[in-house]
């Protein structure tokens, strides 16, 4: 089996197949209709580089020792094998297109080539214009805005990075078909990462009058200040800077909140078009019956919930991601040669919602991707890591989730007698902070500035987070020095607005998180 691994930057599950009624995502929904879809999948840290290095190595951020952008795990933590490297060592041609590893120091300025990839990774030539002044303002001048619908013909080279990535990925699929070579092709899409720069025609899908504010656009009364992320990166865009919003909590004007939400959805539909073209090409090459397709994101993105924007937190809106697996003959009956599985669907023609082939509500983590994909491809699963694994090159800290693929196992939940000690699956995320109150570097503290780590545990029932003293010199967390805590019950408070940490006894949750971190 080949592998097509699609990873999207900053995509929360606002997709038709996740029950979103507004977003037009027919191609991703079509993929879901042939896949097992996980509705409770979480990233290990809501920041690009740490999340990607975590799921590509199958190790948690405390093991990669990457909480920012500024170290390469092979030098700084341990010489850990990666998922693509494992496939390469098992005879696969491994190929990277677009943003798969986070570029820069954290992947050795080479996207971890040649360890992970058979040929040098492809980056779109127009990536370098992403943050330039390419957004036309009302005055006709060009700005570096957050909200940036564009006329693609006016863009440098007359294109956008994700369009170039799709073209390159399609080219590589055809090369692989001709060579009859088994492949692991990773395709990383930039949008809906900011700036929200996408072809302006996608705005038509989302008239502003249909766009609401977040259901909870205020900072929750009992939110510990350490948990709040002040969305500094957004404040630096020209259009947001012009609004002169007070730091750190000052809300954005309602009409501008709607514009951000509108452009985020439009960018998702633009992404959907790229995914549709790519999957259609998989069909064209006759590879749909021999290729596993995985679709996910590195983390989510707040759209005004809790008065927050961007990622940089432990809330579901920042940590929850779409995750689906298409496995020919397993999630769908076998496809006969030449049969279309993924005909391209135009997001502009309204398409009736397709439902996922199978859905699992089990709580799962991206750190499980490595072992899961190895198992699905029929490779020997990498061993589980020992308690301390800095010296172990090949092992993973995330167990395979293939056992959850049989969706019929969704039996009625047993009575929850003891929420503390039942063996339900748990997802762990974490986020570093430089101080107890929001600072200019709270969203992205450098390692040397980290003083507090928020460890967060999500089950089907609750999210429990403790913010504890952290020492960046020896990477140690002191659980005897708890600065703040959060506890949200999912059923009563799905949006995580009412922190009941201070009026609930939570000793058992604390023991559970401690027990986990010891292992």
């Amino acid at each position: 089996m080949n592998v097509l691994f699609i990873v999207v930057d900053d995509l929360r599950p606002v997709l038709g197949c996740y029950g979103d009624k507004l977003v037009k995502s027919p191609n991703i929904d079509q993929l879901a209709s042939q896949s097992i879809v996980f509705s409770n999948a979480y990233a290990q840290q809501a920041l690009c580089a740490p999340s990607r290095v975590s799921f590509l190595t199958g190790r948690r951020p405390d093991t990669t020792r990457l909480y920012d952008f500024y170290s390469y795990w092979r030098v700084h933590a341990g010489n850990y094998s990666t998922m693509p490297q494992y496939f390469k060592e098992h005879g696969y041609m491994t190929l990277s297109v677009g943003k798969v590893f986070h570029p820069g120091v954290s992947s050795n300025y080479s996207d971890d080539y040649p360890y992970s990839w058979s040929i040098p990774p492809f980056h779109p030539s127009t990536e370098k214009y992403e943050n330039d002044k390419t957004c036309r303002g009302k005055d006709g001048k060009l700005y570096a805005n957050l909200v940036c619908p564009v006329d693609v013909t006016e863009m440098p080279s007359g294109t956008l990075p994700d369009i170039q990535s799709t073209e390159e990925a399609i080219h590589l699929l055809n090369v692989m078909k001709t060579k009859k070579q088994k492949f692991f092709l990773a395709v990383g899409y930039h949008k809906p990462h900011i700036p929200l720069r996408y072809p302006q025609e996608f705005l038509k899908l989302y008239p502003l009058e249909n766009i609401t504010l977040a259901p909870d656009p205020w900072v929750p009364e009992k939110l510990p200040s350490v948990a709040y992320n002040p969305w500094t990166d957004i404040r630096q865009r020209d259009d947001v800077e012009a609004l002169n919003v007070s730091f750190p909590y000052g809300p954005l004007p309602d009409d501008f909140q709607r514009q951000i939400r509108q452009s985020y959805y439009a960018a998702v539909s633009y992404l959907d078009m790229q995914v549709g073209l790519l999957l259609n090409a998989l069909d064209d090459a006759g590879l749909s019956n021999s290729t596993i397709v995985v679709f996910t994101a590195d983390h989510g993105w707040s759209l005004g919930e809790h008065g927050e924007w961007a990622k940089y937190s432990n809330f579901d809106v920042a940590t929850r991601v779409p995750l689906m697996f298409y496995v020919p003959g397993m999630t769908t009956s076998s496809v006969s040669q030449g049969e279309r599985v993924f005909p391209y669907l135009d997001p502009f023609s309204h398409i009736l919602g397709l439902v996922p082939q199978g859905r699992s509500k089990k709580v799962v983590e991206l750190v499980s991707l490595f072992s899961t994909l190895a198992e699905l491809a029929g490779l020997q699963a990498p061993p589980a890591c020992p308690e301390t694994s800095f010296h172990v090159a090949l092992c993973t800290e995330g167990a395979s989730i293939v056992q959850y693929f049989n969706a019929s196992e969704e039996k009625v939940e047993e009575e929850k007698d003891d929420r503390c000690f039942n063996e339900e699956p748990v997802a762990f995320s974490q986020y570093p902070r430089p101080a107890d109150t929001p600072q200019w570097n709270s969203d992205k503290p450098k390692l040397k500035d980290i003083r507090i780590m928020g460890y967060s545990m999500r089950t089907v029932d609750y999210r429990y987070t403790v913010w504890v003293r952290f020492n960046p010199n020896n990477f140690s967390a002191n659980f005897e020095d708890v600065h703040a805590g959060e506890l949200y019950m999912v059923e009563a408070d799905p949006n995580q607005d009412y922190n009941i940490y201070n009026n609930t006894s939570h000793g058992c949750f604390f023991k559970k998180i401690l027990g986990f971190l010891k292992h």
Side-chain angles (χ1 to χ4, degrees):
M1 279 283 187
N2 304 307
V3 177
L4 172 58
F5 181 76
I6 303 170
V7 57
V8 184
D9 219 351
D10 293 21
L11 176 67
R12 60 191 260 169
V14 288
L15 298 164
C17 52
Y18 277 83
D20 194 289
K21 300 281 186 279
L22 190 64
V23 171
K24 312 270 189 299
S25 53
N27 293 287
I28 298 166
D29 297 349
Q30 177 171 253
L31 172 63
S33 75
Q34 307 289 321
S35 301
I36 172 88
V37 175
F38 285 88
S39 48
N40 271 312
Y42 297 90
Q44 276 44 78
Q45 190 183 323
L47 188 63
C48 306
S51 174
R52 289 163 186 262
V53 168
S54 169
F55 68 67
L56 288 163
T57 60
R59 318 270 183 131
R60 298 177 188 279
D62 281 351
T63 309
T64 65
R65 294 188 158 171
L66 179 69
Y67 313 108
D68 58 15
F69 301 94
Y70 307 107
S71 68
Y72 180 41
W73 77 91
R74 291 186 193 273
V75 171
H76 192 75
N79 188 23
Y80 311 147
S81 293
T82 67
M83 171 165 57
Q85 177 182 355
Y86 191 64
F87 276 82
K88 181 171 165 237
E89 287 163 358
H90 283 83
Y92 281 73
M93 184 87 168
T94 57
L95 309 157
S96 173
V97 171
K99 184 176 172 182
V100 179
F101 278 100
H102 191 84
V105 187
S106 64
S107 57
N108 204 31
Y109 299 99
S110 66
D111 297 280
D112 198 45
Y113 175 79
Y115 294 104
S116 286
W117 311 108
S118 306
I119 60 173
F122 170 86
H123 284 280
S125 60
T126 60
E127 215 171 83
K128 57 179 175 287
Y129 306 115
E130 269 294 275
N131 293 309
D132 291 2
K133 294 181 185 279
T134 55
C135 321
R136 190 142 327 265
K138 293 202 167 62
D139 56 7
K141 295 195 185 118
L142 291 176
Y143 294 92
N145 287 343
L146 168 63
V147 172
C148 185
V150 297
D151 176 345
V152 177
T153 61
E154 287 182 358
M155 292 298 102
S157 311
T159 188
L160 291 170
D162 286 343
I163 297 172
Q164 291 184 292
S165 292
T166 302
E167 289 164 352
E168 177 67 13
I170 291 171
H171 164 70
L172 289 172
L173 283 176
N174 291 322
V175 171
M176 291 299 103
K177 177 200 174 177
T178 312
K179 286 191 165 166
K180 298 193 167 32
Q181 166 82 45
K182 65 178 176 178
F183 62 85
F184 178 104
L185 168 60
V187 182
Y189 285 115
H190 280 269
K191 293 303 121 184
H193 191 288
I194 70 166
L196 299 170
R197 191 167 78 107
Y198 55 87
Q200 60 197 15
E201 56 271 22
F202 285 93
L203 269 179
K204 290 204 291 275
L205 294 172
Y206 303 101
L208 208 49
E209 60 269 23
N210 295 353
I211 307 294
T212 59
L213 297 180
D216 52 348
W218 57 84
V219 179
E221 190 187 337
K222 293 188 173 164
L223 180 70
S225 54
V226 68
Y228 182 80
N229 77 282
W231 35 280
T232 319
D233 58 344
I234 283 183
R235 294 168 189 274
Q236 291 159 353
R237 314 297 310 181
D238 293 348
D239 50 354
V240 181
E241 207 174 353
L243 298 168
N244 220 355
V245 178
S246 67
F247 185 89
Y249 298 112
L252 290 170
D254 286 3
D255 59 333
F256 195 74
Q257 293 196 34
R258 285 195 176 87
Q259 285 176 42
I260 299 176
R261 289 169 69 91
Q262 174 192 39
S263 272
Y264 187 89
Y265 301 145
V268 171
S269 291
Y270 159 59
L271 159 77
D272 183 78
M273 181 182 216
Q274 302 310 313
V275 172
L277 293 167
L278 177 60
L279 293 175
N280 185 55
L282 190 72
D283 265 358
D284 286 345
L287 293 166
S288 300
N289 59 348
S290 56
T291 304
I292 295 163
V293 182
V294 189
F295 178 88
T296 192
D298 54 358
H299 44 70
W301 211 79
S302 303
L303 285 166
E305 295 85 3
H306 317 116
E308 293 177 302
W309 300 88
K311 46 248 186 182
Y312 319 124
S313 83
N314 280 322
F315 281 121
D316 279 14
V317 281
T319 54
R320 186 171 165 241
V321 293
L323 177 63
M324 59 189 82
F325 298 84
Y326 161 80
V327 188
M330 183 178 186
T331 62
T332 56
S333 49
S334 298
V335 182
S336 52
Q337 200 61 44
E339 191 186 333
R340 309 290 301 177
V341 188
F342 304 119
Y344 174 73
L345 303 174
D346 180 356
F348 292 93
S349 334
H350 189 64
I351 290 156
L352 291 172
L354 293 155
V355 295
Q357 172 68 23
R359 188 189 284 284
S360 175
K361 292 199 172 85
K362 287 277 192 248
V363 171
V364 297
E365 308 173 287
L366 289 185
V367 74
S368 292
L369 277 169
F370 187 164
S371 42
T372 303
L373 271 177
E375 184 177 338
L376 288 174
L379 307 181
Q380 191 177 354
C385 290
E387 210 158 298
T388 311
S389 66
F390 295 108
H391 59 289
V392 182
L394 178 68
C395 70
T396 80
E397 294 179 336
S400 165
I401 59 174
V402 174
Q403 69 206 57
Y404 302 147
F405 275 39
N406 181 0
S408 64
E409 50 85 55
E410 297 289 313
K411 53 183 184 301
V412 183
E413 295 291 310
E414 300 88 65
E415 284 303 300
K416 309 237 170 22
D417 309 323
D418 188 350
R419 210 175 251 128
C420 281
F421 299 107
N422 55 6
E423 289 299 304
E424 61 188 336
V426 177
F428 287 90
S429 304
Q430 61 193 99
Y431 212 87
R433 294 281 186 239
D436 285 301
T437 53
Q439 312 293 316
W440 280 98
N441 64 338
S442 286
D443 292 347
K444 295 186 276 196
K446 291 186 169 164
L447 175 64
K448 66 176 175 42
D449 297 323
I450 297 171
R451 295 292 173 273
I452 300 164
M453 188 68 76
Y455 288 98
S456 195
M457 173 167 80
R458 175 68 154 83
T459 70
V460 134
D461 294 320
Y462 60 85
R463 178 174 285 288
Y464 172 73
T465 306
V466 277
W467 297 89
V468 301
R469 165 70 54 198
F470 184 84
N471 180 343
N473 301 318
N474 62 4
F475 301 92
S476 66
N478 179 2
F479 280 81
E480 280 161 24
D481 186 358
V482 176
H483 287 230
E486 297 168 84
L487 177 60
Y488 306 100
M489 304 318 285
V490 171
E491 206 171 327
D493 180 20
N495 298 328
Q496 300 170 356
D497 295 319
Y498 303 100
N499 178 13
I500 59 168
Y501 180 86
N502 286 339
N503 42 7
T504 314
S505 67
H506 40 73
C508 67
F509 298 139
F510 189 70
K511 280 199 195 88
K512 194 163 175 172
I513 211 165
L514 215 53
F516 167 77
L517 290 164
K518 284 210 170 76
H519 306 303

